[in-house]
Every structure is written in C-alpha cells, then in structure tokens.
Amino acid sequence: MSMGVMIYWISMGLVTAMLAVSALAYLFHQATIDGVRDLGFPDHFRIELAVLKLIAVIVLLAPQIPFQVTEWAYAGVALFFVTSIVAHAAHGDPWVLNLINVVLLLLLATSRIYHSGL
C-alpha cells in the first residue's frame, strides 16, 4: 500500500468514524440532544443532520459512487464542520470543541486531496 493511499484511508476513517458516532449521538444520546437544543437548533434539524451524516459516510466510503457525488459529500461535510465551529463559537462553548472541528476539517481536506490521486 502506498503512503498516499494509507494517508487517505487514515484521514477518511477518522472523519467517517466521527460522522457516524456523531450521527448516532444526535439520535440517541440525551446530552448531545440537549446540547444541540442549547445551540438553538430545533429537533427536526438535529435529526436531519444525523441522517445527512450517515448518508455522507456511505457516499464517502462506497467506491462505486461517482466522484461528482462524492465531491458533494465532501462539500456538505466541510459545511457541517464550518457551521459547527461558528455555532460553538457564538454559543461560547469551550475552545476544545472548535479545535476538534478544525482538526476534522483538516483531515477532511487531507482525505479529499489524496482521494483525487487514487
């Protein structure tokens, strides 16, 4: 396995694992559900985000998905991370939440860069 392929799979694995765990937390973890409400988002938006995150995981990991569709998934996930950073900053949440989102955004960008080389 080449170094580029390894970097791609590590970065993609971390991002998609976070998306899957986050989506499940949005649906089943009461503290997360309350946290999303505290940010000012309605319940239907929380559920929509959870479903979209799970769809993104499938699209990003399935090799038979056309690259143009995958590009939309990358864009949607990037928008999620940026929106999360803005929401947490506006809410005055601990800086570590934004640091995590910035790291995940960088991992997503790394995955995208190496994905085009596969």
Side-chain angles (χ1 to χ4, degrees):
M1 180 181 295
S2 74
M3 183 63 83
V5 171
M6 192 176 348
I7 291 171
Y8 166 76
W9 281 111
I10 290 170
S11 58
M12 179 55 68
L14 291 170
V15 169
T16 54
M18 186 289 310
L19 288 171
V21 168
S22 175
L24 294 175
Y26 275 26
L27 295 172
F28 303 112
H29 188 254
Q30 192 59 48
T32 303
I33 293 168
D34 294 340
V36 173
R37 285 184 190 140
D38 288 344
L39 288 173
F41 296 115
D43 278 338
H44 69 275
F45 186 66
R46 171 185 55 82
I47 294 167
E48 178 183 336
L49 282 177
V51 170
L52 290 173
K53 286 179 182 188
L54 293 173
I55 291 170
V57 168
I58 293 166
V59 169
L60 290 172
L61 291 177
Q64 65 273 23
I65 302 289
F67 189 66
Q68 294 80 5
V69 176
T70 305
E71 286 286 295
W72 281 101
Y74 274 109
V77 173
L79 181 61
F80 165 73
F81 289 140
V82 170
T83 301
S84 180
I85 290 167
V86 171
H88 286 296
H91 192 252
D93 290 335
W95 62 269
V96 71
L97 293 176
N98 281 336
L99 178 63
I100 291 168
N101 281 299
V102 168
V103 168
L104 288 166
L105 189 58
L106 291 172
L107 286 169
L108 182 72
T110 300
S111 169
R112 170 56 190 88
I113 289 166
Y114 282 94
H115 185 218
S116 61
L118 296 180

